[in-house]
Structures are given as C-alpha cells and as structure tokens.
Amino acid sequence: PLSSSFGGGCSRRLKPAVVVVRAEAQPINPEIRKAEEKVVDTVLVPELSKPLTAYCRCWRSGTFPLCDGSHVKHNKATGDNVGPLLVKKQ
Amino acid sequence: PLSSSFGGGCSRRLKPAVVVVRAEAQPINPEIRKAEEKVVDTVLVPELSKPLTAYCRCWRSGTFPLCDGSHVKHNKATGDNVGPLLVKKQ
Ligand code: FES
Ligand code: FES
C-alpha cells in the first residue's frame, strides 16, 4: 500500500493514478518522398549496370531506393531485423 | 488553475502531474522471420517468371518478400506512404 502525501497537506492514503499508454500503429517511413501518396519504384532489369544491386526496405537509406547500409543502424537502435532486397542479374 | 480534490478529502489546490511520454525508435518489421538476425532476400533475374513482379517494402505482406497489397491497409492505418519495389524484366 502506497502512502501518498507528495501533494502536500494531505495525509489520507490515495490510490495511485494508473495511466495506460498504448502505442498506435506507426508509419515506417519517417521522411522519404512524403509529398508522394505512395512511394513505388521500378527496377528495369535491362538497365541494371552491376551484377548485384541492393534495394532498401528499411526506409532509412540516404540513397533510396538503393540500400546504403543504414538498416544496420536502424536494427541496432530498435532491435529490428530488416535488410535489403538483392537483385542479381545472373 | 485546476482545482484537484478527486482524491477525496483534500481541498488544497494541487499542481497537476505532467507525464511526458516520448516514442522511442521503433522496429518496422513486427513479425516476419524474427528468428533471422537480418532478413535479406535475393531476386535471381533469370528465374523471374512474370514480366513484372512487386516486392514488399512495408513488412506487412502475407507473401513476403512479395507484395500482396498489405501496404494499403498499413498506409491507411498510420498515414504512411510506403509501397513496393517493382522489378520489370524488359
Ligand atoms: S539502407 Fe535500408 S535496407 Fe539497407
Ligand atoms: S504488401 Fe508490403 S509493399 Fe505491398
């Protein structure tokens, strides 16, 4: 049983207030192309220059839609496990 | 000025408690392949069967790594603007 008198002057036992905070569903893209209603990108396979290209799925890349490795920092900060999509030409 | 006496028996004015709740950085993948340290997928271009394939970047698809349209529900629920990566064979 908690004794609350931190308000000052009240010696009566008060029930502590319980505040329940529920997280709402959150956006996963904090800032990429927010003027667009939906961010969709297209990879044209014949135009791929390298045998392997990594595409971002963490929405934190500075070179989006390409992966720049920013998923590593995001995973460390949040305990997440996201990574890129690799497109392999052959 | 707020008059607080809801604890009962206290007629003195109390300062309302201020509770600041800050959202921490959140994971963006709630449940896909959480046993894997990092979820990376590879598209082998010569094995693509369709001229156009959509890959999920919202981490909500029931057919991940493919897009099943679940980004629409996620965007509506959160105000987000994410969408798939389209891989176009030719
Ligand atoms: S930077 Fe986003 S997946 Fe690598
Ligand atoms: S279902 Fe995830 S981007 Fe479409």
Side-chain angles (χ1 to χ4, degrees):
Chain A
L2 289 172
S3 172
S4 289
S5 62
F6 47 76
C10 299
S11 58
R12 205 168 153 278
R13 277 166 197 239
L14 299 175
K15 243 188 192 168
V18 174
V19 179
V20 176
V21 178
R22 282 206 184 75
E24 283 179 29
Q26 298 294 322
I28 68 169
N29 171 24
E31 55 184 28
I32 292 172
R33 290 151 54 189
K34 283 298 184 181
E36 299 177 27
E37 191 183 335
K38 181 161 59 178
V39 179
V40 178
D41 297 282
T42 304
V43 177
L44 301 171
V45 168
E47 298 184 8
L48 287 171
S49 55
K50 298 177 298 174
L52 188 72
T53 312
Y55 290 91
C56 178
R57 301 190 292 187
C58 78
W59 300 91
R60 302 296 184 280
S61 176
T63 59
F64 197 90
L66 297 170
C67 167
D68 70 356
S70 295
H71 56 268
V72 174
K73 185 181 167 191
H74 163 80
N75 286 342
K76 274 192 189 137
T78 64
D80 210 349
N81 69 336
V82 300
L85 180 76
L86 308 178
V87 178
K88 210 172 175 179
K89 256 191 128 166
Q90 46 191 339
Chain B
L2 288 173
S3 172
S4 288
S5 62
F6 47 77
C10 299
S11 57
R12 204 170 154 276
R13 278 167 195 235
L14 299 175
K15 244 189 191 167
V18 174
V19 179
V20 176
V21 179
R22 281 206 185 76
E24 284 179 29
Q26 298 292 323
I28 67 169
N29 171 25
E31 54 184 28
I32 292 172
R33 290 152 53 190
K34 283 297 184 182
E36 298 177 29
E37 191 182 336
K38 181 161 58 180
V39 179
V40 178
D41 298 281
T42 304
V43 177
L44 301 171
V45 167
E47 297 184 8
L48 287 171
S49 54
K50 299 177 298 175
L52 188 73
T53 312
Y55 290 91
C56 177
R57 301 190 293 188
C58 78
W59 300 90
R60 302 295 184 279
S61 176
T63 59
F64 198 90
L66 297 171
C67 168
D68 70 356
S70 295
H71 57 268
V72 174
K73 185 181 167 190
H74 164 81
N75 286 341
K76 274 192 190 141
T78 65
D80 210 349
N81 68 337
V82 300
L85 180 75
L86 307 178
V87 178
K88 210 171 174 180
K89 256 191 128 166
Q90 47 191 339

